[in-house]
Amino acid sequence: MSVRGHAFGIDIGGSGVKGAEVDLATGDLVHERIKVPTPHPATPNAVADAVAKVVAQAGWDGPVGITLPSVVIDGTARSAANIDKSWIGTDARKLFATVLGGREVTVLNDADAAGLAEDRYGAAKDLSGLVMLLTFGTGIGSAVMYHGTLVPNTELGHIEVGGVEAEHRAAASIKDRDGLSYPEWAAEVSKVLITLENLFWPNVFVAGGGISRDFEQWIPLLTNRTPVVPADLKNAAGIVGAALAVSAGIAP
Ligand code: BGC
């Protein structure tokens, strides 16, 4: 089945490969997310099988957008900070298109997808100028959009802040690993945001990732100067952005 004005998005994460059909007029999921556990090791072939399962389960035969937590250039994964290293150099677009019967497929970075979704339907919908989305999870992902145009693969989670990579300082996983309180963790996030705002001068930061659900506990504690707003689309942002990317022909 495929429906005009709809596309299918898949978000590949550390624990699950999640997908759904998306109504592109509203950015709403048409049904509950379908989730298949991420295989371990998460090699390209094993993940591709999981992707095929999600799409088959939905009975969808139209275009599919897919996120990866890595730099993606022309469909090929170029980095693998928090995923299996065997992704580096893999032509992910070709691999997924093959397991999906040769249909139209777009592959893009997970934070870039979230940024596109927040910009079109969510927290950044009515914001103009330079918008910087950061996702706080296992790592820190980034999406930079200027008047709605995405600058892909920015990888700002790897910027050095006080001699330490930003994501090793302030990812949500560091809060869990080191048992940091919200005030302690927010101080680390502030250092990262201050570094970024002094270099890029964004109009606003959008904070995404699972921990943005608890934004009331930490966004008010941030000490940087640029306004920080929580993401709207929560755990659907990657799926929605992937669907949007394939429908709009955005293929970084
Ligand atoms: C990766 C990015 C990714 C981010 C969030 C980082 O470690 O380098 O590509 O967007 O994690 O998953």
Side-chain angles (χ1 to χ4, degrees):
M1 172 201 58
S2 96
V3 177
R4 265 190 74 198
H6 290 192
F8 202 87
I10 297 191
D11 198 17
I12 297 176
S15 65
V17 174
K18 290 153 275 176
E21 182 183 335
V22 177
D23 179 342
L24 297 164
T26 58
D28 292 330
L29 303 191
V30 174
H31 53 78
E32 285 270 295
R33 294 183 311 161
I34 297 169
K35 179 171 171 179
V36 167
T38 305
H40 289 289
T43 57
N45 285 335
V47 171
D49 285 347
V51 163
K53 260 190 217 153
V54 169
V55 175
Q57 218 169 302
W60 175 259
D61 57 20
V64 179
I66 302 170
T67 75
L68 276 181
S70 53
V71 170
V72 181
I73 296 176
D74 203 16
T76 295
R78 292 289 177 204
S79 71
N82 291 308
I83 54 165
D84 200 85
K85 301 292 175 229
S86 58
W87 279 96
I88 297 176
T90 297
D91 186 338
R93 183 168 59 211
K94 191 161 150 205
L95 173 68
F96 292 136
T98 304
V99 295
L100 294 173
R103 74 183 83 193
E104 191 186 348
V105 168
T106 280
V107 184
L108 75 166
N109 171 265
D110 54 359
D112 282 347
L116 288 173
E118 293 292 342
D119 197 72
R120 175 72 65 93
Y121 309 105
K125 187 170 59 174
D126 300 317
L127 305 174
S128 60
L130 191 73
V131 173
M132 188 172 279
L133 169 119
L134 298 172
T135 61
F136 296 90
T138 307
I140 294 180
S142 62
V144 175
M145 282 141 312
Y146 183 59
H147 293 300
T149 300
L150 172 73
V151 179
N153 294 311
T154 44
E155 293 292 317
L156 297 176
H158 299 292
I159 201 163
E160 262 190 35
V161 176
V164 180
E165 265 187 65
E167 74 173 23
H168 294 159
R169 196 180 257 296
S173 61
I174 302 297
K175 179 176 182 304
D176 295 340
R177 189 196 69 189
D178 296 349
L180 302 181
S181 64
Y182 272 112
E184 286 166 336
W185 181 68
E188 296 303 320
V189 175
S190 296
K191 287 180 198 160
V192 171
L193 298 182
I194 288 167
T195 300
L196 292 175
E197 67 193 3
N198 285 345
L199 294 172
F200 293 93
W201 291 79
N203 291 34
V204 63
F205 285 113
V206 179
I211 202 160
S212 67
R213 254 176 258 131
D214 302 330
F215 68 91
E216 279 152 343
Q217 299 197 57
W218 59 276
I219 288 186
L221 307 178
L222 298 172
T223 55
N224 68 295
R225 85 181 160 253
T226 309
V228 182
V229 299
D232 256 0
L233 296 167
K234 307 292 181 282
N235 52 16
I239 293 175
V240 174
L244 183 59
V246 72
S247 77
I250 298 171

